[in-house]
Amino acid sequence: MSKTNKWWKDTVVYQIYPRSFQDSNGDGIGDLKGIMDRLDYLQELGIGAIWLSPVCKSPQDDNGYDISDYQDIDPMFGSLEDMETLIAEAKKRDIQIIVDLVLNHTSDEHPWFKEARKSKDNPYHDYYVWRDGVEGTYPNDMRATFGGPAWEWVPEIGQYYFHQFSVKQPDLNWENPKLRQELYDMINWWMDKGAGGFRMDVIDQVAKVPDEKITANGPRLHEFLREMSRETFQKGDLITVGEAWGATTERAKLYSNPDGSEFSMVFQFEHIGLDQQEGKDKWDLAPLPFLKLKEILGKWQTELHGCGWNSLFWNNHDLPRIVSRWGNDKEYREKSAKMLATILHGMQGTPYVYQGEELGMTNVQYDIEDYRDIETVNVYKERTTSGYSKEDVMHSIHVKSRDNARTPMQWDDSANAGFTTGTPWIKTNPNYTEINVAEQMGREDSVFNYYKELIHMRKEYSVFSDGDFEMLVPEHPQVFAYRRFTEDTELLVICNFFGEQIDCPVAIDLDKYQLLLTNDKENNEAQVLNPYEARMYISKR
Ligand code: TEU
Ligand code: CA
């Protein structure tokens, strides 16, 4: 147990993307009953919480991140009763359910928006962000994340509404205190239902000021978040995590202030943009600057120590698979997947495992017809009509598409990977016959069993949650190494990030340390690192 006694400091969170996890009724879409059937698997892995991507009622324009009823479940996933059962069944296994709150926008099919667009004096009008204008002349040139202008014309009332994402995701107006109260009531309702925590979608964008082209980190952001926390989270013992693409360490200290005034932690994305060309977007690929990766992760470790809390993740439903991205998904797939896990889980913070990451699941290379993600479909259209070659665009999509993370979970080598008896909503990665849960659970040296060990170690040694952090050999071009230390224990993590054998640049004192975990049991030469080799040492007592 960590010194500060916050349960979420010793736990590992598992993210489920419900539509791709487990289908229970053969319609090809994962659902809540499917998740219930797999709770024993998650308990075996050792996780303490599940972050469920949105399951509320939604037209599914953005796979549930466009909510039309915050207080009901989409029939595609089940019923409210199923959700209550899932929360209760998970609790029996000491697993909390983290509900995904999409508070920056709703669906355009949400009753609030349907009212809001009726007239300027409708009581719900001011729940959203409107600007007067004339058709064809946008209030300004802001663009939406999924392509096109960020403004949509509503002829009936002669106004534009603001949307940072798709046209079907109108932005909520947080300047309106009535709207904020309405959201808080809804959050409290989920707390009464037994939610163990919340993940907050693009929370750094709620305090926008469109006239000044401010989207992230608006001037009233932390004022709003403190109010929300006071009115809701602080009444419970929850894990709360905000998604904040624009977070700096300074801001993260506010978000994750140990006084509990905002959240438990945020997802920060500073390292996530490293393999793209500067000033361009995610599709404009660049090699990973390894030294920069170390510098950034190290900075977050030292700067938040004692005055904030990190979330640790390589993957989520928006990101390509880490083993394909920064590891090697060919001959060193298992080894590099374990190496990446070692780096992440040894650091201070709460680790997140995205479904399938614990198997070393990989990216896919589909034809454009087989992609389902709105962002991918739109960028293909946009780029192929604006001069990029089809080959270039498809290459970027293969490397970065969000659908890399959204292919069905690979349970076994039966048809459709055991995900569904019907036709899956998105094609299964053909490598499921080789990479799947059934195969890995039965094999001692699998990626699954390695994750399981990492998760258990965190519970056993408090140095994982409490220890100070020191980056070792920061300028070394191949090795990611660091030590963690408390008054009585030291943890030493050494990883070869690349595929060549090298001399270990860190001197390992074997009188002082004992090996805790390795992905290369065959190597007896402490001062030689094999390709993608990862080791964790702990000081002897
Ligand atoms: O993502 C926030 C976000 O900014 C992403 O759209 C990001 O820019 C993109 O994925 C990069 O490729 C959150 C959710 O995680 C995402 O799934 C939603 O689509 C988005 O918000 C809108 O709700
Ligand atoms: Ca289903």
Side-chain angles (χ1 to χ4, degrees):
M1 218 4 157
S2 71
K3 276 188 290 193
T4 49
N5 226 14
K6 286 277 185 212
W7 66 271
W8 40 263
K9 292 194 171 179
D10 299 300
T11 212
V12 173
V13 180
Y14 189 90
Q15 185 191 350
I16 290 183
Y17 198 62
R19 59 163 53 227
S20 303
F21 192 62
Q22 177 69 65
D23 178 22
S24 72
N25 62 351
D27 67 356
I29 303 167
D31 46 52
L32 295 178
K33 286 214 169 82
I35 297 171
M36 274 181 252
D37 292 340
R38 297 298 187 178
L39 284 175
D40 290 340
Y41 167 75
L42 298 174
Q43 186 179 25
E44 173 74 23
L45 184 58
I47 55 110
I50 296 170
W51 155 24
L52 269 192
S53 277
V55 289
C56 287
K57 231 183 204 138
S58 159
Q60 304 289 325
D61 184 54
D62 184 21
N63 288 359
Y65 284 93
D66 48 319
I67 291 176
S68 56
D69 187 346
Y70 289 106
Q71 287 167 275
D72 204 356
I73 301 299
D74 198 279
M76 151 195 303
F77 296 123
S79 63
L80 196 53
E81 207 188 324
D82 292 335
M83 185 67 171
E84 287 168 339
T85 314
L86 176 64
I87 292 172
E89 283 299 315
K91 268 201 186 129
K92 283 187 198 157
R93 294 164 175 85
D94 274 325
I95 297 173
Q96 301 296 322
I97 299 288
I98 300 175
V99 171
D100 203 327
L101 293 172
V102 187
L103 306 176
N104 177 68
H105 45 268
T106 65
S107 163
D108 64 341
E109 296 178 39
H110 193 290
W112 297 341
F113 191 73
K114 287 189 187 161
E115 285 298 313
R117 63 178 300 153
K118 281 184 184 161
S119 76
K120 290 185 195 171
D121 40 48
N122 186 287
Y124 290 96
H125 189 71
D126 199 39
Y127 275 33
Y128 295 87
V129 181
W130 300 94
R131 292 294 176 269
D132 290 331
V134 286
E135 190 171 6
T137 310
Y138 298 109
N140 61 29
D141 62 359
M142 290 172 84
R143 309 280 297 170
T145 304
F146 299 150
W151 300 98
E152 183 71 7
W153 178 245
V154 178
E156 303 91 284
I157 56 173
Q159 283 192 314
Y160 284 94
Y161 68 84
F162 183 62
H163 62 93
Q164 299 189 60
F165 295 92
S166 93
V167 265
K168 287 185 67 61
Q169 292 167 300
D171 269 59
L172 287 165
N173 175 22
W174 275 62
E175 297 292 328
N176 179 346
K178 259 183 74 192
L179 175 267
R180 298 204 302 275
Q181 191 55 51
E182 190 114 43
L183 295 175
Y184 306 157
D185 292 347
M186 176 273 289
I187 295 170
N188 284 316
W189 179 87
W190 273 113
M191 286 174 65
D192 291 342
K193 292 264 172 247
F198 298 99
R199 178 263 184 186
M200 284 151 282
D201 194 58
V202 286
I203 201 67
D204 60 341
Q205 299 183 15
V206 298
K208 57 228 138 205
V209 188
D211 300 319
E212 291 168 35
K213 298 193 190 176
I214 296 174
T215 51
N217 305 329
R220 296 185 72 188
L221 178 64
H222 292 279
E223 172 199 334
F224 292 155
L225 300 184
R226 274 181 217 129
E227 178 188 86
M228 170 165 69
S229 178
R230 217 168 38 236
E231 297 289 322
T232 60
F233 312 145
Q234 289 174 33
K235 298 177 200 161
D237 183 17
L238 302 175
I239 177 171
T240 50
V241 51
E243 184 197 28
W245 282 76
T248 56
T249 49
E250 278 316 302
R251 228 171 244 287
K253 288 184 213 169
L254 299 175
Y255 282 122
S256 65
N257 193 317
D259 69 5
S261 53
E262 294 189 17
F263 309 151
S264 314
M265 65 194 98
V266 281
F267 293 125
Q268 63 86 12
F269 291 84
E270 208 180 332
H271 56 302
I272 292 298
L274 281 177
D275 53 4
Q276 71 191 46
Q277 293 163 36
E278 226 173 302
K280 298 238 191 136
D281 67 29
K282 67 182 249 187
W283 310 105
D284 301 303
L285 311 177
L288 172 72
F290 176 61
L291 295 185
K292 195 85 193 151
L293 175 72
K294 291 201 277 185
E295 185 193 315
I296 290 174
L297 292 178
K299 177 184 76 182
W300 279 85
Q301 286 293 296
T302 45
E303 291 195 11
L304 263 54
H305 181 77
C307 56
W309 192 252
N310 274 294
S311 64
L312 308 169
F313 70 98
W314 290 129
N315 275 113
N316 66 32
H317 64 292
D318 294 332
L319 302 174
R321 294 284 179 178
I322 196 62
V323 69
S324 301
R325 188 180 195 179
W326 294 342
N328 174 325
D329 65 5
K330 306 282 180 325
E331 69 267 41
Y332 291 114
R333 186 182 61 80
E334 293 223 330
K335 222 171 155 199
S336 64
K338 291 173 189 172
M339 180 277 289
L340 289 159
T342 311
I343 291 177
L344 200 77
H345 286 245
M347 289 192 286
Q348 187 174 43
T350 301
Y352 288 72
V353 177
Y354 179 72
Q355 64 184 45
E357 178 185 336
E358 78 280 19
L359 309 175
M361 272 178 65
T362 69
N363 282 355
V364 283
Q365 282 97 39
Y366 293 157
D367 294 333
I368 190 63
E369 304 76 54
D370 292 321
Y371 286 89
R372 298 287 172 266
D373 170 32
I374 180 172
E375 185 190 47
T376 306
V377 171
N378 287 353
V379 80
Y380 181 82
K381 273 189 241 154
E382 239 179 57
R383 291 208 159 187
T384 49
T385 52
S386 67
Y388 290 82
S389 77
K390 196 182 156 188
E391 290 67 40
D392 270 4
V393 182
M394 285 318 295
H395 179 61
S396 296
I397 288 175
H398 291 160
V399 175
K400 287 283 185 73
S401 171
R402 306 197 295 183
D403 278 343
N404 282 308
R406 300 176 180 185
T407 61
M409 177 71 177
Q410 295 168 200
W411 295 104
D412 56 41
D413 64 3
S414 70
N416 297 314
F419 163 70
T420 182
T421 54
T423 308
W425 70 275
I426 186 170
K427 268 172 69 177
T428 308
N429 189 325
N431 65 19
Y432 75 86
T433 48
E434 181 199 327
I435 306 170
N436 62 65
V437 168
E439 191 278 330
Q440 294 208 15
M441 283 183 87
R443 178 164 54 86
E444 206 196 318
D445 69 347
S446 65
V447 183
F448 173 85
N449 279 314
Y450 195 89
Y451 267 85
K452 193 174 146 183
E453 274 187 79
L454 277 171
I455 293 169
H456 283 279
M457 272 172 200
R458 172 165 295 268
K459 293 180 193 150
E460 201 167 321
Y461 301 98
S462 62
V463 65
F464 279 87
S465 42
D466 292 338
D468 235 306
F469 178 94
E470 185 196 358
M471 186 68 84
L472 303 174
V473 294
E475 299 301 324
H476 196 283
Q478 277 139 317
V479 171
F480 201 125
Y482 57 85
R483 54 190 275 272
R484 302 281 315 281
F485 51 99
T486 59
E487 265 163 35
D488 53 18
T489 315
E490 212 178 299
L491 183 75
L492 179 63
V493 177
I494 303 176
C495 294
N496 181 356
F497 206 85
F498 296 95
E500 288 90 44
Q501 188 194 64
I502 46 167
D503 289 333
C504 179
V506 179
I508 304 157
D509 180 353
L510 291 171
D511 293 329
K512 185 173 165 195
Y513 297 108
Q514 66 189 62
L515 197 57
L516 192 59
L517 185 69
T518 169
N519 66 354
D520 191 340
K521 290 196 175 119
E522 255 82 274
N523 184 3
N524 296 318
E525 302 243 19
Q527 293 302 139
V528 173
L529 292 174
N530 281 331
Y532 299 106
E533 183 166 354
R535 293 187 216 146
M536 256 184 191
Y537 292 94
I538 192 122
S539 51
K540 292 179 179 167
R541 296 195 186 171

